[in-house]
Amino acid sequence: MTRILGIDPGLLHTGWAVIDSQGATRHYVASGVILPSAKLPMAARLATIFRGVDELCATYSPDACSIEIIFVNQNPKTTLALGQARAAAIVAVANRDIDVFEYEPNKIKKALTSAGHADKDAITKMVRLLLPMAAPKSPDEADAIAIALAHSNMMRFTL
Amino acid sequence: MTRILGIDPGLLHTGWAVIDSQGATRHYVASGVILPSAKLPMAARLATIFRGVDELCATYSPDACSIEIIFVNQNPKTTLALGQARAAAIVAVANRDIDVFEYEPNKIKKALTSAGHADKDAITKMVRLLLPMAAPKSPDEADAIAIALAHSNMMRFTL
């Protein structure tokens, strides 16, 4: 069995999900959102993400962490902010010697829906179908579950 | 007295410097470079920076950390990589509840040389003049000393 921590990083909302994966079977363990206050300075927000993910690693002892690769988009300032949030999460995981697997967004979508450009609704539907227990309360949480599920699929077919 | 940790982050070379500042007097304490192996995957390199800075905080107990603000430059991919290295360093400091002060690169140069667009040579000369004991062995180390010195100047004139 492999316990996977999926992370959808963001400076305001960092979604996370823990699932257990064994062969074709997956079990939902937990999911949620880390919410650094927008009132805090950047450094304190990054520390909130770090501490949150560090605590998740201590609580759930994942074997692997799955996270999206960021691409430079139309707004380089947003990309930079997202990159910093992502680094805060990755550091918490890597500092505990947990392997980090990075996937391109369209590969995550494809691993779940067989379509590289599936929209948010298609992802949420697939998450509900595969893990009915999950019931994500926000898009960030649903994305984190999708990212964790994608790694469980990748493991089956590529490892 | 204020002990300042200056950091010049980078995925391959993260320069650091510790100085003590009291009024117009500054004392060089230590400086060096954290060198994450280029052979390591990104997550492990970020963890090397985090652990290095965390250890510096434990060893030198700085009161404040000074670091450059990154601007999106011609190469957004480089900006993203630099942003992630920077976040790994900031998280280590903020996680220990040490205040992080972020300065624009031209303000750091101006605080040291009275010119916003001073070149590397002018910075290194000023570092040698202000802190003869420092003797930086690399540009990253010299930049980190400059960043720490800039904060000591900013404190005098703006706090």
Side-chain angles (χ1 to χ4, degrees):
Chain A
M1 196 204 70
T2 305
R3 177 160 283 188
I4 304 163
L5 170 63
I7 300 178
D8 180 36
L11 265 191
L12 289 176
H13 314 90
T14 287
W16 63 271
V18 179
I19 68 167
D20 286 340
S21 171
Q22 189 160 31
T25 314
R26 293 93 158 200
H27 288 287
Y28 171 79
V29 179
S31 60
V33 183
I34 299 165
L35 297 163
S37 165
K39 287 177 195 162
L40 291 174
M42 166 70 107
R45 276 148 78 181
L46 295 176
T48 304
I49 297 170
F50 170 84
R51 286 175 186 155
V53 174
D54 185 59
E55 206 179 297
L56 290 174
C57 293
T59 307
Y60 297 106
S61 304
D63 303 298
C65 170
S66 175
I67 194 162
E68 271 190 17
I69 289 172
I70 299 174
F71 286 102
V72 177
N73 70 7
Q74 290 85 337
N75 187 338
K77 231 176 148 177
T78 309
T79 307
L80 180 60
L82 187 57
Q84 301 204 92
R86 187 174 178 271
I90 285 180
V91 155
V93 174
N95 187 46
R96 286 183 176 265
D97 295 319
I98 297 163
D99 284 335
V100 177
F101 295 85
E102 308 181 53
Y103 297 111
E104 295 174 14
N106 61 353
K107 287 208 174 151
I108 290 173
K109 286 174 181 165
K110 215 166 180 175
L112 283 192
T113 65
S114 327
H117 297 282
D119 62 9
K120 286 216 173 265
D121 274 0
I123 295 287
T124 305
K125 267 183 202 157
M126 207 60 192
V127 163
R128 290 212 175 115
L129 191 70
L130 291 170
L131 287 180
M133 295 293 288
K137 290 171 293 296
S138 74
D140 309 285
E141 208 176 321
D143 279 352
I145 297 167
I147 291 162
L149 281 170
H151 179 61
S152 89
N153 282 7
M154 301 284 191
M155 278 198 312
R156 284 186 69 200
F157 299 116
T158 62
L159 293 188
Chain B
M1 194 204 73
T2 304
R3 176 160 285 188
I4 304 164
L5 170 63
I7 301 178
D8 181 37
L11 264 191
L12 289 176
H13 314 91
T14 287
W16 62 271
V18 179
I19 68 167
D20 286 340
S21 171
Q22 189 160 31
T25 314
R26 291 91 157 203
H27 288 287
Y28 171 79
V29 178
S31 60
V33 182
I34 298 165
L35 297 164
S37 164
K39 287 177 198 163
L40 291 174
M42 165 69 105
R45 275 149 79 180
L46 294 176
T48 305
I49 297 171
F50 170 83
R51 287 175 185 153
V53 174
D54 185 59
E55 206 179 297
L56 290 174
C57 292
T59 307
Y60 297 106
S61 304
D63 303 298
C65 169
S66 175
I67 195 162
E68 270 190 16
I69 288 172
I70 300 174
F71 286 102
V72 176
N73 70 8
Q74 290 85 338
N75 186 338
K77 230 175 148 178
T78 310
T79 307
L80 181 60
L82 187 57
Q84 300 204 98
R86 186 174 179 272
I90 285 180
V91 155
V93 175
N95 188 44
R96 287 184 175 264
D97 295 319
I98 297 163
D99 283 336
V100 177
F101 295 85
E102 308 181 53
Y103 296 112
E104 295 174 13
N106 62 352
K107 286 207 176 152
I108 291 173
K109 286 174 181 165
K110 213 165 181 177
L112 282 193
T113 65
S114 325
H117 297 281
D119 63 8
K120 286 218 173 262
D121 274 0
I123 295 287
T124 304
K125 267 183 201 157
M126 206 61 192
V127 163
R128 289 213 175 113
L129 192 70
L130 291 170
L131 287 180
M133 294 294 288
K137 291 172 292 296
S138 74
D140 308 284
E141 206 176 323
D143 279 351
I145 298 168
I147 291 162
L149 281 171
H151 180 61
S152 89
N153 282 7
M154 301 283 192
M155 278 199 310
R156 283 187 68 201
F157 300 116
T158 61
L159 293 187

